[in-house]
Amino acid sequence: FYTNSIEKLDESIKVIYFDAPFFAIQSSDLKPNLFRILNKYVGSINEIGIKLHPGRSNTNKTVLQYGIEVESFIPAQIIDYSSCKLAISYGSTTLAKTILDDLPAISLTYLQGLDEETVRREVRFLKLINNDILLPKSFGEFESMVKQILQPVF
């Protein structure tokens, strides 16, 4: 895939959420809790961009009820995230500094309900691609991080 163009996100999108295939998420309450928290700190669901995993014909699209869809066929590497304040994903290369620049990134690795060894490997990988990555271990920590990023104190 080669392109010399950059895709702009809708200017209303403040949070970009990169979804994961269903098998990567072991905790059934993860997405509802995640979006319940996000909705406290955004003005509307139109401020949450949801990018489904590309190339998955069996992707469950129910997550789109929580935000607006960012076309999954567009590679994350060519999207301009300058209108965003926060990126959220799991153990994904989409959270790499080379893709997000200085955009704060939260990984949901600890919240997925995965086994300890898988979490350890994911965290090591994530710290290699983005040494500023935020890794909450509870929904309370996640909410504190979201609040600090989306509602900074002046």
Side-chain angles (χ1 to χ4, degrees):
F1 184 85
Y2 174 79
T3 183
N4 61 358
S5 68
I6 299 295
E7 295 291 323
K8 293 282 285 179
L9 282 179
D10 185 303
E11 289 290 320
S12 69
I13 296 174
K14 302 301 176 223
V15 177
I16 183 75
Y17 166 77
F18 299 98
D19 198 36
F22 66 92
F23 60 82
I25 303 166
Q26 304 297 318
S27 174
S28 63
D29 64 342
L30 177 57
K31 288 181 186 179
N33 282 330
L34 162 82
F35 290 106
R36 179 185 52 76
I37 291 167
L38 283 177
N39 282 319
K40 290 181 184 180
Y41 302 99
V42 296
S44 77
I45 64 171
N46 292 334
E47 292 183 21
I48 301 172
I50 298 175
K51 188 166 183 328
L52 300 173
H53 198 282
R56 306 270 189 202
S57 59
N58 63 344
T59 298
N60 183 339
K61 294 188 175 192
T62 59
V63 72
L64 295 176
Q65 69 185 309
Y66 300 113
I68 58 175
E69 184 173 11
V70 174
E71 294 295 337
S72 62
F73 67 86
I74 301 171
Q77 296 87 338
I78 66 163
I79 296 175
D80 175 0
Y81 300 102
S82 61
S83 68
C84 291
K85 293 182 179 181
L86 175 62
I88 300 170
S89 189
Y90 302 88
S92 173
T93 56
T94 56
L95 296 179
K97 275 283 198 192
T98 55
I99 295 173
L100 299 178
D101 254 347
D102 292 326
L103 181 65
I106 295 177
S107 169
L108 304 170
T109 299
Y110 284 111
L111 303 177
Q112 285 178 256
L114 301 172
D115 66 87
E116 219 173 281
E117 178 58 23
T118 302
V119 170
R120 187 184 65 73
R121 282 195 319 265
E122 287 291 322
V123 168
R124 186 174 63 215
F125 165 73
L126 289 165
K127 287 182 179 181
L128 286 173
I129 64 169
N130 186 339
N131 59 347
D132 294 326
I133 195 132
L134 300 170
L135 295 152
K137 293 184 178 179
S138 69
F139 286 112
E141 278 187 42
F142 173 75
E143 183 165 3
S144 293
M145 292 171 182
V146 168
K147 183 178 181 180
Q148 183 178 2
I149 294 165
L150 296 182
Q151 293 190 336
V153 177
F154 297 100

